[in-house]
Amino acid sequence: MHGKAENSGIEGARLAVIPGDSGVWVFIFADMCAFAVFFLLFSVGRVAQPELYEAARQQLDLQLGLANTLILLTSGAFMAAAARTARAGNVQGTLHNLLLTLGVGSLFGLSKAVEWSAKFNHGIGLTTNEFFTYYFVFTGIHFLHFVIGLGVLLVLIARVRDISVQGGAMDGASLRWIEAGGAYWHMVDLLWIVLFAMLYLMRAA
Amino acid sequence: MESKVDTRYWRFCAWMGPLFVAVFFYCWGILGHNFPPFAPDTPASEVAGWFRDNRDGVRLGMVIAMTFAPAYGVWGYALAKVLEQAVGGNKPGDNILVQLARVGAAWTTITVLVPTSFWLTAAFRPDALPDWMIQMLYDMAWLLIDLAYAVTSVQLFALGVGFLADKRAVPLIPKWLAWYGIWVGFMFILECVMPYFFNGAFARNGILNFWIEFIIWMVWVPALTFFALKAIKRIEQE
């Protein structure tokens, strides 16, 4: 369909760095459960010490939190577009959308670095109080998810780029990987939205 | 002509995993007062007093726990044999994932043995040791066994990624279990904040850093063994 695929043997051999399938949903489900426990712990703590939680919440930078949310939502929209173009068999479009997902998403790392450094410069750290313990641990674990997500995006981009260079067509395995990677990326997105609401927005007292 | 895989002793070795968990849970956990552990903010006098009163139980527990620590490594090697069959290829034993799965299991054995000897030291002559020193030994053992998580993560990731590479229509080990193992290895990272806390969810006895972390790992071992035993049967029939 899309010209000859001379080195088709390369598929599956070199590109299957991370083999994938629907089992990724087990990871996502287990992770959601872990975050559910995090949220529960936070809620219990907030009920016990509403004034402390409210005072600490007001020290967070709402604008940066909102910027983070918009960054991830925009990046998530490009990811969804990548899945759509991949299903339509549009290799170039998929590559562009994945690159945009990565490019926009990377800004989240920058913004998080700015936010955390500001906290450390104000003498606020992991053990300042219970609110900030949860803030740093939960956003830290989320950040780790984000970094892994960037790695997944890079693998997807390399895979689609190779298909593009060879002039090949989108294959089933690549499509499955883009969808699985997309599901993961949306989880990163979703978890942040819940974290944002819980840490930055909800008034405790 | 492909020769049949020699699976002798595999089952025996695979059973060492659940055996390790059961023995370790009772000897290290119950006899050694580690399941759950003393909270880090427990007064030194209380920890020391408990060791003095229960020295015989702790010694028995730790001696048996140390004796059975290699069982984890033996189990890990059995799992690596199954992994060889999952990754396939000409020389699956040379596959880096198989090697990492082996070495991750072997290293984990060391990270179980060494801290166990610290608890044993605390129970060896507790009357001669000041309270703070018994507390220090107890802390040191906990800091080591928790913070050595990354060693076990090597095994968890290698087995997880390797089992996902299985090309069979019905893989030897279910993909959900492979993913679960990867997730457990990943969740262990929470241990990094453990040294900062004396109470609460992230302390060594906390809901996250003790209850959830230990249980998700202890469940993984027998679950993987169950499917590995089924996989061995299939390998023999293939």
Side-chain angles (χ1 to χ4, degrees):
Chain A
M1 249 165 51
H2 288 83
K4 56 184 191 290
E6 285 175 356
N7 295 321
S8 58
I10 203 164
E11 283 177 30
R14 204 184 78 204
L15 300 179
V17 178
I18 307 170
D21 72 345
S22 56
V24 71
W25 286 98
V26 174
F27 185 96
I28 292 176
F29 177 74
D31 231 21
M32 295 291 230
C33 290
F35 270 85
V37 174
F38 294 171
F39 300 149
L40 191 69
L41 282 169
F42 182 87
S43 307
V44 170
R46 201 177 53 177
V47 168
Q49 306 180 74
E51 288 84 13
L52 182 145
Y53 273 63
E54 181 56 22
R57 184 189 74 87
Q58 287 177 5
Q59 288 178 272
L60 295 184
D61 190 329
L62 188 62
Q63 285 175 342
L64 270 179
L66 190 64
N68 286 333
T69 310
L70 292 176
I71 288 167
L72 284 184
L73 281 175
T74 311
S75 176
F78 284 122
M79 186 72 232
R84 268 198 306 276
T85 44
R87 272 194 293 272
N90 178 353
V91 177
Q92 280 309 319
T94 307
L95 188 58
H96 288 151
N97 281 322
L98 286 173
L99 284 167
L100 283 166
T101 308
L102 180 75
V104 176
S106 303
L107 296 175
F108 179 83
L110 198 68
S111 139
K112 231 42 256 88
V114 170
E115 195 181 348
W116 279 339
S117 336
K119 289 282 160 291
F120 293 139
N121 289 338
H122 282 96
I124 297 172
L126 182 65
T127 52
T128 300
N129 61 37
E130 195 176 274
F131 178 92
F132 280 110
T133 291
Y134 288 144
Y135 165 80
F136 279 110
V137 175
F138 297 165
T139 58
I141 297 275
H142 177 267
F143 187 77
L144 203 68
H145 282 74
F146 161 78
V147 171
I148 291 173
L150 292 185
V152 170
L153 281 172
L154 284 171
V155 171
L156 294 178
I157 287 167
R159 187 167 186 148
V160 176
R161 202 200 53 193
D162 277 7
I163 296 173
S164 161
V165 168
Q166 291 162 31
M170 186 65 68
D171 59 295
S174 298
L175 178 61
R176 265 203 311 283
W177 265 109
I178 290 165
E179 287 175 343
Y184 178 84
W185 193 245
H186 288 314
M187 180 192 74
V188 172
D189 197 349
L190 175 70
L191 290 175
W192 173 259
I193 291 169
V194 181
L195 280 178
F196 176 60
M198 185 177 84
L199 295 167
Y200 295 73
L201 297 179
M202 282 167 68
R203 286 173 195 279
Chain B
M1 279 290 282
E2 207 178 327
S3 59
K4 219 167 153 35
V5 180
D6 181 0
T7 57
R8 276 178 302 169
Y9 317 120
W10 286 21
R11 281 188 185 78
F12 175 80
C13 295
W15 274 107
M16 289 294 122
L19 180 71
F20 166 80
V21 171
V23 170
F24 199 66
F25 169 75
Y26 182 70
C27 293
W28 162 85
I30 306 299
L31 291 178
H33 202 303
N34 285 312
F35 207 100
F38 285 108
D41 57 7
T42 307
S45 57
E46 193 181 322
V47 178
W50 190 87
F51 267 81
R52 291 184 190 115
D53 293 343
N54 297 280
R55 70 188 77 187
D56 287 336
V58 177
R59 276 189 290 190
L60 179 69
M62 294 307 155
V63 165
I64 299 176
M66 289 178 82
T67 304
F68 278 82
Y72 189 86
V74 172
W75 172 76
Y77 270 64
L79 265 293
K81 291 309 284 182
V82 177
L83 183 65
E84 280 182 13
Q85 298 303 311
V87 296
N90 287 337
K91 284 175 128 187
D94 289 348
N95 185 300
I96 193 161
L97 293 174
V98 173
Q99 299 198 17
L100 288 173
R102 281 195 207 116
V103 86
W107 287 339
T108 300
T109 299
I110 308 296
T111 64
V112 168
L113 268 178
V114 178
T116 315
S117 74
F118 298 164
W119 284 299
L120 183 57
T121 310
F124 182 50
R125 47 177 139 208
D127 290 327
L129 303 180
D131 292 356
W132 65 264
M133 195 178 276
I134 292 180
Q135 185 185 47
M136 190 188 86
L137 285 165
Y138 193 83
D139 287 347
M140 201 159 85
W142 266 101
L143 288 163
L144 176 54
I145 205 166
D146 273 3
L147 269 296
Y149 76 89
V151 160
T152 312
S153 292
V154 168
Q155 184 200 17
L156 285 153
F157 292 147
L159 286 171
V161 175
F163 284 131
L164 286 178
D166 196 339
K167 298 269 190 292
R168 290 169 178 79
V170 179
L172 288 175
I173 300 294
K175 305 239 161 169
W176 64 264
L177 188 55
W179 278 109
Y180 174 77
I182 294 171
W183 175 76
V184 172
F186 184 55
M187 279 296 285
F188 278 169
I189 202 153
L190 273 176
E191 294 299 344
C192 290
V193 296
M194 176 272 220
Y196 294 89
F197 297 97
F198 290 82
N199 51 49
F202 302 106
R204 67 174 175 226
N205 64 326
I207 175 85
L208 285 171
N209 275 12
F210 177 73
W211 291 104
I212 292 181
E213 295 282 65
F214 269 85
I215 288 172
I216 58 177
W217 175 59
M218 284 180 154
V219 164
W220 174 73
V221 175
L224 194 50
T225 307
F226 173 77
F227 285 101
L229 289 168
K230 283 172 73 167
I232 292 170
K233 196 172 179 184
R234 271 183 63 191
I235 291 164
E236 286 167 341
Q237 289 164 352
E238 271 176 6

